[in-house]
Amino acid sequence: MARFTLPRDLYHGKGAIDALKTFDGKRAIVCVGGGSMKKFGFLDKVINNLKEAGMEVSVFDGIEPDPSVETVMRGAEAMIKFQPDWIIAIGGGSPIDAAKAMWIKYEYPETTFEDMCKVFGLPKLRTKARFCAIPSTSGTATEVTAFSIITDYSKGIKYPIADFEITPDVAIVDSDLAETMPKKLVAHTGMDAMTHAIEAYVSTANCDFTDPLALHAIKMIQEDLVDSYNGDMGKRDSMHNAQCLAGMAFSNALLGIVHSMAHKTGAAFADYGAHIIHGAANAMYLPKVIAFNAKNEEAAKRYAVIADSMNLGGSSVAEKVQLLISYLRKMNDELNIPHCIKNYGADSYPTEHGFVPEDVFLERLPEIAKNAILDACTGSNPRQPSQEEMEALLKCCYYDAEVDF
């Protein structure tokens, strides 16, 4: 038996944020990140809409990119004090992910972060509050997923929380918010969405309900992402829908080792002054993982179906897989994303000498590989890597070397 779970309601299109006026409740806490939602007036709109719905409103702001365990605990304390019956998270993936984890701690104050990380092991939520997510970026799709990514900075590791309980009750996919994204964010979140859709389609948990979502999202991203990056706001609006479809697919079909590696390398070199941004990591690693997974016959066939849906040509499965890899590398070039960690600058742009020194990477490689294998996303990858294979694959991602194993 399998399960397919999505939010109860999904409001979409320009102006969808006004759906908040129809919410029924007494108190709502709004979780938000930096200043962009306030700067562009969306935070005020959320607050005013909730007040129009008759609610008392509190704001928990300042949620950082790659939210920390400490931020989650502080937010939960604010919720425990305010006692909301609605949690409204607005912004990029970070404030929404953080709010999901806060929600768990709010409903079950005795829960530890370690408890939260037990895959599909959470108790029943909604005993105190319902959850609404309003994304401002077009990539994570956390507004429709059963996942949250929280960083333990003491360990330099990003941990996925995975449970259908944290799938939001309501998603508001309002393309007005996406039009505020800076160019670099369009690129990174867009390739995150592409990775979601491709990994969902080849995941061992794929099914008849997730495959159409994944394939349609891939086709939309192929048609819309580069133009969105170059300023076409009609394509920007379309990408906001495409990333949500990709999220619906992967939340139910799960992901693979592109994400496992991105989770475990993202903060692994923070002491050298930067993170490897999640979407950029996915973009760099995806072609390498496709080459690795394509040694599995069933995965290769499914990559070939993706290539066919993208009209890439090719007369054999192997040729189609290679054309898919080449196409994704070309997209990275068009989006100004590096091909490997060695050339990943602290600003995320391609450079001859990246911020991660070779000797440091090699020293930390065994531990990173071990943690990637243990990541919650690895289990649904179509080819299970050994420690040796994971280390070799990560080396290919560092040097941009060919995957021939």
Side-chain angles (χ1 to χ4, degrees):
M1 182 177 72
R3 179 173 173 178
F4 185 88
T5 300
L6 295 174
R8 169 67 176 79
D9 292 300
L10 192 154
Y11 299 93
H12 57 95
K14 288 181 172 294
I17 201 169
D18 287 341
L20 291 169
K21 295 176 183 178
T22 68
F23 281 27
D24 181 28
K26 295 179 180 179
R27 286 180 297 278
I29 189 166
V30 181
C31 299
V32 68
S36 64
M37 290 298 94
K38 186 172 185 179
K39 174 184 174 183
F40 293 108
F42 293 113
L43 178 59
D44 284 342
K45 198 160 193 177
V46 166
I47 293 169
N48 291 335
N49 284 348
L50 291 167
K51 287 182 176 178
E52 189 171 328
M55 290 192 232
E56 182 184 351
V57 181
S58 176
V59 175
F60 183 86
D61 60 7
I63 298 171
E64 73 273 41
D66 303 305
S68 66
V69 176
E70 290 75 18
T71 295
V72 168
M73 297 307 165
R74 285 192 297 105
E77 284 299 317
M79 290 179 185
I80 290 168
K81 183 177 180 181
F82 185 64
Q83 291 291 301
D85 45 24
W86 273 103
I87 298 167
I88 313 292
I90 181 172
S94 294
I96 298 173
D97 278 4
K100 286 180 175 180
M102 293 170 191
W103 184 23
I104 301 166
K105 184 75 173 175
Y106 168 48
E107 300 229 355
Y108 295 93
E110 71 284 358
T111 301
T112 65
F113 182 64
E114 290 71 24
D115 293 333
M116 295 182 193
C117 294
K118 294 173 184 173
V119 177
F120 294 99
L122 293 178
K124 291 286 184 184
L125 297 181
R126 298 164 182 83
T127 63
K128 295 181 181 178
R130 287 176 287 170
F131 193 101
C132 171
I134 310 170
S136 64
T137 61
S138 302
T140 70
T142 189
E143 73 275 6
V144 293
T145 75
F147 301 98
S148 165
I149 306 298
I150 305 297
T151 302
D152 184 336
Y153 285 91
S154 67
K155 297 179 180 176
I157 295 176
K158 296 183 178 183
Y159 288 96
I161 300 171
D163 198 292
F164 288 118
E165 285 298 316
I166 59 171
T167 304
D169 297 283
V170 179
I172 297 178
V173 185
D174 188 330
S175 55
D176 283 338
L177 280 70
E179 293 185 7
T180 67
M181 283 191 294
K183 196 169 184 178
K184 181 164 73 172
L185 192 57
V186 172
H188 293 162
T189 56
M191 287 308 293
D192 191 19
M194 180 65 98
T195 306
H196 290 156
I198 291 176
E199 287 209 292
Y201 191 73
V202 301
S203 161
T204 57
N206 73 76
C207 70
D208 290 340
F209 297 94
T210 59
D211 283 354
L213 293 166
L215 286 176
H216 190 59
I218 290 166
K219 188 66 177 173
M220 289 179 73
I221 296 165
Q222 178 191 19
E223 293 173 352
D224 298 334
L225 176 54
V226 173
D227 288 341
S228 171
Y229 175 76
N230 289 322
D232 184 325
M233 287 302 159
K235 298 288 191 178
R236 185 78 54 87
D237 294 352
S238 182
M239 270 300 302
H240 209 43
N241 291 342
Q243 65 85 31
C244 188
L245 294 173
M248 292 177 183
F250 93 78
S251 185
N252 292 280
L254 307 179
L255 292 166
I257 59 173
V258 178
H259 274 76
S260 302
M261 295 192 300
H263 293 154
K264 284 2 183 196
T265 54
F269 309 101
D271 51 330
Y272 282 82
H275 280 210
I276 301 175
I277 295 170
H278 180 72
N282 283 337
M284 293 189 295
Y285 306 163
L286 179 59
K288 306 302 182 192
V289 170
I290 290 173
F292 175 79
N293 283 344
K295 303 295 190 294
N296 174 288
E297 185 178 354
E298 183 59 30
K301 288 178 182 177
R302 293 185 75 81
Y303 287 130
V305 172
I306 291 172
D308 285 342
S309 75
M310 296 171 73
N311 297 313
L312 299 184
S315 57
S316 68
V317 168
E319 188 179 358
K320 291 174 183 181
V321 171
Q322 191 53 53
L323 286 168
L324 176 60
I325 290 171
S326 297
Y327 188 92
L328 293 169
R329 288 178 63 89
K330 177 174 172 286
M331 282 189 80
N332 286 348
D333 288 335
E334 292 175 315
L335 298 169
N336 207 17
I337 296 173
H339 290 297
C340 62
I341 300 170
K342 181 170 68 74
N343 300 132
Y344 184 93
D347 59 1
S348 84
Y349 292 123
T351 183
E352 186 176 352
H353 300 291
F355 84 94
V356 181
E358 181 180 23
D359 59 334
V360 173
F361 173 80
L362 293 173
E363 178 187 349
R364 299 181 186 181
L365 176 60
E367 186 69 14
I368 291 170
K370 183 183 80 172
N371 289 330
I373 289 171
L374 294 173
D375 188 88
C377 294
T378 299
S380 49
N381 194 69
R383 184 181 172 197
Q384 289 299 299
S386 65
Q387 174 75 18
E388 182 182 10
E389 288 169 334
M390 181 61 84
E391 288 186 26
L393 189 54
L394 282 160
K395 281 185 180 179
C396 291
C397 293
Y398 185 85
Y399 296 109
D400 192 20
E402 184 180 351
V403 178
D404 57 2
F405 54 91

